[in-house]
Amino acid sequence: MRTRTTLAAAGLLLTLTACGGDTDDKPSAPPSLTEEQRASARAAAGLPPEPSTTARYRFLEALNDIDRRIVDGKDGKDDKAVSRGLNQCRSIKNAAGDEDKQVALVQQTLSRFTIDTRLPDIATPETGGEILAAVHKNLCPDF
C-alpha cells in the first residue's frame, strides 16, 4: 500500500513539474479544417453533408406545413430545427434494415424536436412520421 502511495505521489509530482513553463505562452489556435476534412468527419459521425440552401429551405417549409409551431420562427430556431434534423439522420442511418429501430424512430423524432413536451396536442405517431419523412426526404435522402 505504501509503495502505491509513493508511486502515485511521484507520478503527481512529475505531472505537475511537466506542466510548469513560461506563463507568457499563448495558447495556439485550433487548426482549421478543409471542407473535405469536415465532410469526412461528418460522414464518420454518421451525419449527412451540410444541406444546401435549397434543401434547408424545403425542410423548414415541410416542418411549417406540418405545424408552424415546430420551428416557431424565432431567431436561431431554424438552425436548431436543421441541427435536430441532421441528428435524426444519424438515427435513420443506424436503423436501416432493423424494423424495430425504424418503428422507434417515430417516438424519437417527437422527442428530438421536443414535440412531446412543447406541443403535446400534436404529439402523435402521425406527426412523428411526417417530421421523420421531411427529415429523410430533405436532409438525408441517401440514408
Side-chain angles (χ1 to χ4, degrees):
M1 180 73 167
R2 187 171 206 180
T3 304
R4 278 193 231 162
T5 305
T6 304
L7 289 174
L12 181 61
L13 182 60
L14 287 172
T15 302
L16 290 174
T17 55
C19 291
D22 189 0
T23 57
D24 292 336
D25 289 342
K26 294 180 184 174
S28 59
S32 296
L33 297 177
T34 65
E35 287 299 318
E36 186 176 294
Q37 289 170 322
R38 273 193 202 104
S40 178
R42 290 180 70 81
L47 295 171
E50 193 64 37
S52 68
T53 303
T54 302
R56 180 185 165 89
Y57 175 79
R58 287 184 180 153
F59 172 64
L60 294 170
E61 282 300 305
L63 292 180
N64 284 333
D65 287 346
I66 297 165
D67 192 302
R68 297 198 76 68
R69 298 175 295 168
I70 294 171
V71 178
D72 202 14
K74 295 178 185 172
D75 288 341
K77 294 285 185 167
D78 290 356
D79 291 338
K80 189 176 281 191
V82 171
S83 176
R84 288 176 175 162
L86 293 171
N87 284 322
Q88 193 65 32
C89 285
R90 180 184 310 140
S91 297
I92 291 169
K93 185 175 186 177
N94 290 338
D98 186 329
E99 192 172 326
D100 290 336
K101 286 183 179 179
Q102 290 173 357
V103 169
L105 284 178
V106 173
Q107 183 57 45
Q108 182 191 53
T109 302
L110 291 170
S111 294
R112 180 163 276 144
F113 283 82
T114 66
I115 304 301
D116 52 355
T117 55
R118 285 187 310 119
L119 305 168
D121 59 309
I122 63 167
T124 64
E126 293 79 24
T127 302
E130 289 175 11
I131 296 169
L132 188 60
V135 167
H136 194 232
K137 178 181 178 183
N138 296 292
L139 299 180
C140 48
D142 297 331
F143 282 17

